[in-house]
Amino acid sequence: MKGYQIAASIGSVMLVALGGAMALTNPSRSDYEGFATARLSEYLKENACKKLPEELGEVWQQRCRAFGSAAIDTGRPQLQQLIASQTERHNFILFSIYRTTLPSFGSTYEFETLGVLQQFYLYLAEEQ
């Protein structure tokens, strides 16, 4: 019976230590805003110019990418403010769930992200 008690005690200590580590490393709202801004900026840089008609040719695609990239970098603080104003954080002490809703030209994009152990995991991205 002593062996089980020792194992149970060690397990309990490890569980408490893991919970403490998770609580201490639960990312903050500002951490999420930085993460989401970087991801959205990257997405816009890669995809914003793809909707140009092919008839415009590669030269206009390159110009769009160069101008668009600079515009996105310049507007990054406003993009972060938009994300901040459109995000709900549900803090569960050990982890957080972030729900961001962004309107865009008649559509709405919804994102859900899990924040745990100083990491973010995007698990839902849909257009409505």
Side-chain angles (χ1 to χ4, degrees):
M1 193 76 149
K2 279 259 194 220
Y4 292 119
Q5 289 175 339
I6 292 172
S9 295
I10 291 172
S12 296
V13 168
M14 290 177 65
L15 190 58
V16 168
L18 177 62
M22 289 178 73
L24 289 173
T25 60
N26 184 5
S28 69
R29 185 178 180 91
S30 64
D31 291 337
Y32 171 76
E33 291 167 8
F35 162 80
T37 301
R39 290 286 303 264
L40 185 55
S41 295
E42 180 182 305
Y43 176 82
L44 290 173
K45 286 179 182 181
E46 291 175 6
N47 295 292
C49 296
K50 289 183 179 178
K51 297 192 183 224
L52 286 177
E54 289 182 22
E55 295 81 30
L56 291 178
E58 182 61 29
V59 171
W60 283 102
Q61 287 282 336
Q62 290 174 347
R63 288 181 181 169
C64 177
R65 284 191 295 270
F67 175 75
S69 181
I72 290 166
D73 288 341
T74 301
R76 194 175 176 114
Q78 290 80 12
L79 186 58
Q80 187 162 352
Q81 287 176 348
L82 175 66
I83 289 169
S85 70
Q86 299 298 314
T87 297
E88 286 181 24
R89 179 184 187 204
H90 300 279
N91 185 358
F92 297 97
I93 308 299
L94 303 178
F95 63 93
S96 293
I97 294 178
Y98 298 88
R99 290 192 176 108
T100 303
T101 304
L102 298 174
S104 175
F105 303 107
S107 295
T108 300
Y109 295 89
E110 292 191 11
F111 305 94
E112 289 189 15
T113 306
L114 172 67
V116 63
L117 297 172
Q118 281 302 84
Q119 298 292 316
F120 294 100
Y121 302 95
L122 180 67
Y123 64 88
L124 175 72
E126 63 184 20
E127 179 181 0
Q128 295 186 345

